[in-house]
Amino acid sequence: MSDKYAVIGNPIAHSKSPLIHHAFAKESDQSIAYTAELIPLDGIEAGLDTLQQKGFKGLNVTVPFKEQVWQSLTDKSERATLAGAVNTIVFNDDGSRYGDNTDGVGLCLDLTQNHGIDLANKRILLLGAGGAARGVIQPLLAFQPAQLTIANRTLSKAQTLAALFNHLGPIRASGFEQLTDNFDLIINATSASLQGDVPPIPSATISSQTFCYDMMYSSTDTAFIQWAKKHQAAKTSDGLGMLVEQAAESFRLWRGSKPNTQTVIDLLRQ
Ligand code: NDP
């Protein structure tokens, strides 16, 4: 019988994770069963117990459970501990549970390997201070950028994150309108694109050398990517590669080997 995995969330029907993980398994000649499981909003603990009892080997965790799972697991990776959220659970054979967060490494792999960006000494602007932003700060700082600026609508949240990660590298907080410099890389980790909005940052943040990355993915240009193109950004990308790369890192944790991601990114782009 194939090993069983699932993504849990609420809602969950839209998830691309089953497609991605089955593609990884096929590409690496393995057999897995990967499903999307809807968990009641007040039922995360019971949901984890049930899936573990049913013999699942691991789970991906998505909105709105990442922080709750982080709180419930005692055995976690350092990157998950710093991220304040868990997106991957390993159910060990001895019945124990291990939590990790692969979102940050997923973003960095997409930027560095798929887009060929050298993050060292770069001036990076991270828009947003929610769960997605927090999860990528430590992995970004590990590449030793010249500066990481976190800008958020609610300034106090950006300040809290800057204080939390201050010991790991050069990081500062800002409001959107107060930004004056231009950046080598702008990453949109706000959920503004979901409503077709763009954070109100000055166009002076973009130069003809700037790479603009939206964590949200879409078959058409997101509002942020439209804005970046209008202001002559050097290059733009949505977050589909991040989605596939974070999934590949989860797959590696469960299966011991990293799948080929480019073929799966190409498949999803079709
Ligand atoms: P959260 O709800 O935790 O945070 C939302 C953030 O967006 C906050 O900083 C909030 O600011 C800001 N925001 C919301 N609306 C606006 C607006 N209209 N203008 C300016 N700022 C706004 O969400 P997440 O961090 O979990 O997710 C953020 C995005 O990242 C989503 O689009 C999600 O789809 C994407 N994502 C993509 C992944 C991938 O694999 N590609 C993985 C994870 C997330 P404030 O604090 O002021 O409320």
Side-chain angles (χ1 to χ4, degrees), residues 63 66-67 103 127-133 152-154 157 176 188-195 197-200 213-217 239-240 242-244 246:
V63 179
K66 289 182 183 185
E67 285 84 8
D103 282 336
L127 303 174
N152 196 44
R153 183 173 61 183
T154 311
K157 287 197 205 166
F176 290 139
N188 182 22
T190 73
S191 49
S193 291
L194 294 172
Q195 301 109 42
D197 288 339
V198 183
Y213 189 99
D214 198 343
M215 282 197 195
M216 190 179 133
Y217 46 87
L240 186 71
M242 174 180 174
L243 177 76
V244 174
Q246 62 79 25

Side-chain angles (χ1 to χ4, degrees), residues 11 21 36 44 73 76 85 104 115 153 160 168 184 186 227 253 261 263:
H21 282 278
I44 184 63
L73 294 183
K76 294 185 280 264
H115 294 290
R153 183 173 61 183
T160 300
L168 294 176
D184 301 304
I186 304 178
W227 176 86
L253 285 164
T261 50
T263 50

Side-chain angles (χ1 to χ4, degrees), residues 9-22:
N10 189 332
I12 200 63
H14 65 286
S15 175
K16 291 189 191 304
S17 292
L19 175 66
I20 293 172
H21 282 278
H22 283 132

